[in-house]
């Protein structure tokens, strides 16, 4: 980054500080990960200079011979990775991808079912103040109050009553496996389109650690930067009968020119995920999450649903006598990054919720395994117990840094 250092020392200085933060801290936000150096090189490549409205072989501007190659490569690799008929790799991120799906396959006002935000759904799954809730008649479903797990019988009941045109599954804060077959059978019974937003678990699906909705579902969206370890961005996968509507909805329906540098980085990430070692990586993410959950349980943390089947853990902090915000801040002081999060049936607000959300993708990328997860849980317990003792938090921060030293972040030389 010598040019940046010379041209803009101010931005360079901020980047240096962020590099230290990422290297020295324990990253537990489940939607974050460390992309490979190759992915970052492609993201920062000369494709950032190009405009390419349209699709490979059918563009509106000239000079597309190389963009066409890289976009087609990304498409072909994604099709192989997820065994799907059709892929659009142009969505800028998860929310625009979901918006394009609704725009392409529904009419405004259509009834759609989505999981409530405080039960683990996403804002684009029908939050009343988001475009999704305002443009479509979203009917929410939830998890069971006792178990924290999706109640498929109740979901079926709601579907039989409201007769949705589409049911959305796939979540941002749900720690258990999703029964895609059960969702599909409800969709078939009521004549609804089946949509899965697998942003959080895409890497687990790609690596075989979570079942895939690809065989049955009409449409699947995902971001590319979470468990999948690609660049910031998204894609839409669908059955061939929806391909035309999806492509038209992305461009020109929702977006202008795709970000070709990101497309190149998506191709790189899909290539990495196709390698056999990605299977081990995704399996290790889950093993790590289970080890972390088990130790947190031993420390008396109240895990929603009692544990995890995937990369993610949701903790209700109420029994520890503090809301999620205070827990997040104390952990931050000790170099442990997580996010405050609502828990199902949360009496508090999303900005000051009862819980915190953790995940293991980033630590797994660093090469940490079950032993380290147990240490992380011990750090967390100790931080929460003495959260008002700043000297103690500083001491833990030092121990966190020592642990991290043995596990380099891709692209960061320590
Ligand atoms: N912001 C993402 C997450 O953290 O899960 C979802 O969009």
């Amino acid at each position: 980054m010598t040019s940046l250092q010379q041209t803009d020392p101010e931005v360079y200085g901020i980047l240096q500080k962020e590099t230290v933060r990422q290297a020295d801290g324990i990253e537990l936000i489940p939607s974050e990960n460390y992309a490979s150096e190759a992915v970052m090189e492609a993201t920062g490549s000369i494709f950032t200079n190009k405009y390419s409205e349209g699709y490979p072989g059918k563009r509106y501007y000239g000079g597309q011979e190389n963009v066409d190659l890289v976009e087609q490569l990304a498409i072909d690799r994604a099709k192989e990775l997820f065994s799907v008929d059709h892929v659009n790799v142009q969505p800028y991120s998860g929310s625009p991808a979901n918006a394009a799906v609704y725009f392409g396959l529904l009419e405004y006002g259509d009834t759609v079912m989505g999981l409530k935000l405080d039960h683990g759904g996403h804002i684009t799954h029908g939050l009343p103040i988001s475009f999704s809730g305002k443009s479509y008649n979203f009917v929410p479903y939830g998890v069971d109050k006792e178990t924290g797990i999706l109640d498929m019988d109740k979901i079926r009941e709601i579907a039989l009553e409201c007769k949705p045109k589409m049911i959305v599954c796939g979540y941002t804060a749900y720690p258990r496996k999703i029964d895609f077959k059960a969702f599909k059978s409800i969709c078939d019974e009521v004549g609804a389109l089946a949509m899965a937003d697998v942003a959080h678990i895409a890497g687990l699906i790609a690596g075989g650690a979570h079942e895939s909705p690809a065989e049955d579902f009409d449409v699947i969206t995902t971001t590319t930067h979470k468990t999948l370890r690609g660049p910031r961005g998204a894609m839409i996968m669908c059955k061939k009968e929806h391909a035309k509507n999806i492509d038209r909805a992305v461009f020109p329906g929702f977006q202008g020119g795709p970000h070709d540098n990101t497309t190149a980085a998506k191709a790189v990430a899909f290539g990495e995920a196709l390698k056999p070692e990605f299977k081990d990586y995704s399996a290790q993410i889950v093993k790590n999450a289970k080890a972390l959950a088990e130790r947190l349980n031993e420390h008396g943390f109240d895990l929603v649903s009692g544990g995890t089947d995937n990369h993610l853990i949701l903790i209700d902090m109420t029994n520890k006598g503090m809301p999620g915000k205070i827990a997040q801040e104390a952990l931050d002081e000790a170099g442990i990054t997580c996010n405050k999060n609502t828990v199902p049936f949360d009496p508090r607000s999303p900005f000051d919720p009862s819980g915190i959300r953790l995940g293991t993708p980033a630590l797994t990328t660093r090469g940490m395994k079950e032993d380290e997860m147990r240490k992380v849980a011990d750090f967390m317990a100790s931080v929460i117990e003495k959260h008002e003792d700043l000297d103690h938090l500083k001491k833990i921060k030092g121990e966190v840094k020592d642990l991290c030293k043995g596990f380099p972040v891709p692209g960061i030389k320590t």
Side-chain angles (χ1 to χ4, degrees):
M1 287 207 184
T2 44
S3 301
L4 182 62
Q5 189 173 10
Q6 282 161 16
T7 316
D8 195 332
E10 205 175 348
V11 169
Y12 178 80
I14 296 170
L15 274 173
Q16 288 308 104
K17 283 203 264 181
E18 176 61 8
T19 302
V20 171
R21 191 194 69 80
Q22 291 197 14
D24 290 354
I26 286 175
E27 179 52 71
L28 287 174
I29 294 175
S31 47
E32 294 189 12
N33 207 336
Y34 300 110
S36 70
E37 279 189 272
V39 164
M40 286 191 283
E41 280 175 19
T43 304
S45 70
I46 48 168
F47 274 125
T48 203
N49 300 333
K50 191 72 194 105
Y51 253 125
S52 57
E53 282 89 339
Y55 290 103
K58 199 174 167 220
R59 306 278 187 187
Y60 288 79
Y61 300 178
Q64 304 295 347
E65 59 270 35
N66 302 313
V67 168
D68 276 6
L69 287 176
V70 89
E71 186 168 334
Q72 195 56 54
L73 190 59
I75 291 168
D76 292 343
R77 287 179 177 174
K79 280 167 81 170
E80 186 184 344
L81 190 58
F82 290 97
S83 304
V84 287
D85 296 347
H86 181 77
V87 181
N88 186 308
V89 294
Q90 295 192 2
Y92 300 141
S93 202
S95 297
N98 288 349
V101 167
Y102 304 150
F103 187 68
L105 303 185
L106 303 172
E107 299 297 328
Y108 286 127
D110 273 351
T111 297
V112 188
M113 281 174 61
L115 184 65
K116 285 178 200 157
L117 186 72
D118 70 328
H119 288 221
H122 188 250
I123 46 178
T124 59
H125 299 175
L127 185 70
I129 55 168
S130 93
F131 79 90
S132 57
K134 283 185 184 293
S135 312
Y136 305 94
N137 173 37
F138 265 89
V139 176
Y141 60 91
V143 297
D144 180 78
K145 196 161 187 176
E146 293 310 311
T147 62
I149 292 177
L150 291 167
D151 178 346
M152 296 310 298
D153 292 334
K154 180 84 191 140
I155 291 168
R156 178 170 171 267
E157 249 175 58
I158 299 172
L160 286 170
E161 192 163 316
C162 77
K163 297 265 183 301
K165 181 112 182 262
M166 175 185 275
I167 300 180
V168 182
C169 66
Y171 314 109
T172 62
Y174 185 66
R176 293 298 180 175
K177 281 213 165 148
I178 302 164
D179 187 346
F180 291 122
K181 295 264 177 229
F183 269 105
K184 173 65 177 158
S185 126
I186 297 171
C187 286
D188 287 348
E189 196 176 350
V190 301
L193 292 166
M195 170 174 167
D197 173 349
V198 299
H200 265 261
I201 53 171
L204 304 185
I205 292 171
H210 193 295
E211 79 174 60
S212 169
E215 197 183 318
D216 302 317
F217 271 49
D218 293 281
V219 62
I220 302 165
T221 57
T222 182
T223 49
T224 46
H225 48 271
K226 297 186 174 94
T227 44
L228 204 46
R229 289 197 64 213
R232 303 302 292 226
M235 65 175 161
I236 303 172
M237 301 170 263
C238 65
K239 296 284 181 207
K240 51 179 172 305
E241 61 264 34
H242 302 304
K244 212 170 177 179
N245 284 340
I246 290 295
D247 283 353
R248 279 190 185 149
V250 173
F251 172 82
F254 249 82
Q255 297 187 176
H259 297 170
D260 301 316
N261 53 323
T262 307
T263 304
K266 287 174 186 172
V268 175
F270 303 155
E272 290 175 351
L274 280 165
K275 292 193 177 139
E277 50 268 36
F278 199 82
K279 249 188 179 349
D280 301 332
Y281 170 66
S282 67
Q284 190 63 49
I285 290 176
V286 178
K287 283 190 217 162
N288 282 353
K290 284 182 184 292
L292 182 60
E294 199 173 303
R295 187 66 150 207
L296 288 167
N297 267 324
E298 285 165 18
H299 281 296
F301 284 95
D302 179 10
L303 273 52
V304 172
S305 84
T308 181
D309 297 327
N310 55 27
H311 64 302
L312 182 150
I313 294 164
L314 190 60
I315 307 177
D316 186 339
M317 293 299 295
T318 310
N319 73 340
K320 295 281 182 189
M322 75 180 69
K325 187 162 178 275
I326 304 289
Q328 178 192 304
E329 285 165 5
L331 290 163
D332 243 341
E333 285 294 326
I336 300 171
T337 312
C338 70
N339 69 276
K340 60 181 183 279
N341 213 95
T342 47
V343 295
F345 306 94
D346 204 324
R348 304 177 68 93
S349 75
F351 202 67
D352 186 14
S354 297
I356 54 173
R357 190 183 65 149
L358 318 173
T360 52
L363 294 187
T364 308
T365 298
R366 294 181 86 147
M368 291 192 191
K369 296 217 162 91
E370 289 92 325
D371 277 349
E372 287 74 36
M373 295 306 111
R374 287 186 271 274
K375 281 188 194 142
V376 171
D378 293 348
F379 286 147
M380 288 185 61
S382 167
V383 166
I384 297 305
E385 196 187 330
K386 298 186 185 171
H387 68 280
E388 281 169 342
D389 180 347
L390 289 182
D391 288 337
H392 181 69
L393 301 188
K394 207 165 157 196
K395 180 178 141 285
I396 299 284
K397 190 172 187 173
E399 291 174 25
V400 162
K401 188 173 168 184
D402 288 343
L403 173 68
C404 288
K405 271 205 184 89
F407 299 91
V409 172
I412 300 182
K413 316 260 179 294
T414 47

